[in-house]
Amino acid sequence: MQRTCRTTSTLILVLLLAFGLCSFAVAQNSSDNFHWTGKLPANGLVRIKNVSGAIDADAASGDTIEVSAVKSGPDRDQVRVEVVNTSDSVTICTVYPGSSCQEVESSHEHGNINAKVDYTVHVPRNLRFAAANVNGAIRAQDMGRAVDVKTVNGAIDVSSSAWVAAKSVNGAVKVSMGSTDWDGTLKVGTVNGSVTLDLPPDANADVHFSSVNGGLTSDFPLTVQSGGLGFGPKRIEGTIGKGGRQLDVSTVNGTLQIHKGKAAL
């Protein structure tokens, strides 16, 4: 009987240790605060989906992802933060009543719920980062892999040693990228706001710049196809370096500034 008890206890201990070692992440929730930590394999994806509030990301000091969120507003108890993970990605969303994490980007209507969630994210430099917002700014600094961000109402400010895709409707867009090795066409732009883009000095891309009401300045030589570099409608095309990859940079109401940035480390 004594041997059976010891065997059972040992089995339970082994199972508990195995569960702890295989644990993907740890999430801690209180009524207004959320905190999640976890790890992903290299080149995995960290994605944040928000509805109202800021998304602020920077590089983590190690290989652990950390996501904190703070809810505020009189109706904050009606929204929750949801985590959806796979073997190579994690998606963290703000979810309103009657919706799910998958529906956050597809619907901008949430009745009269007065609440917002502000996210702070620490992303290991060997992971990709993506963020989508409706009402709020997106900031991501010192990222190490590809970044893809978009918002409806809010400014965007992103820097990465890899490439960056960024789109806003109402807000300025500032992007600094350290490489131009994307596939297909990369888009950076807004409707109402200025666009400032820093490209590495050894960039290779076929670029297409367009603006309706605003001027354009560029550190790279460009061939003007129509319009001019002053104010008024224009479309400017040119080749940077050896060309090849497609880059679209656009705004309707605002200026375009293209600068030679620093080479990726």
Side-chain angles (χ1 to χ4, degrees), residues 25 30 37 39 42 48-49 51 54-55 68 77 84 109 115-116 120 127 131 137 154-155 160 173 236:
S30 67
T37 61
K39 295 183 179 182
I48 306 295
K49 295 182 179 180
V51 176
I55 299 174
S68 298
D77 291 340
V84 178
E109 299 296 330
K116 72 172 186 174
T120 301
L127 300 180
S160 175
V173 173
I236 301 169

Side-chain angles (χ1 to χ4, degrees), residues 7-66:
T7 303
T8 302
S9 299
T10 302
L11 178 61
I12 292 172
L13 179 61
V14 169
L15 290 173
L16 287 172
L17 287 171
F19 178 80
L21 290 173
C22 294
S23 179
F24 175 84
V26 177
Q28 298 177 351
N29 274 292
S30 67
S31 58
D32 296 335
N33 296 282
F34 167 90
H35 187 71
W36 180 94
T37 61
K39 295 183 179 182
L40 289 174
N43 210 41
L45 176 64
V46 179
R47 181 189 293 112
I48 306 295
K49 295 182 179 180
N50 201 10
V51 176
S52 181
I55 299 174
D56 194 339
D58 62 14
S61 58
D63 62 353
T64 299
I65 309 159
E66 292 187 50

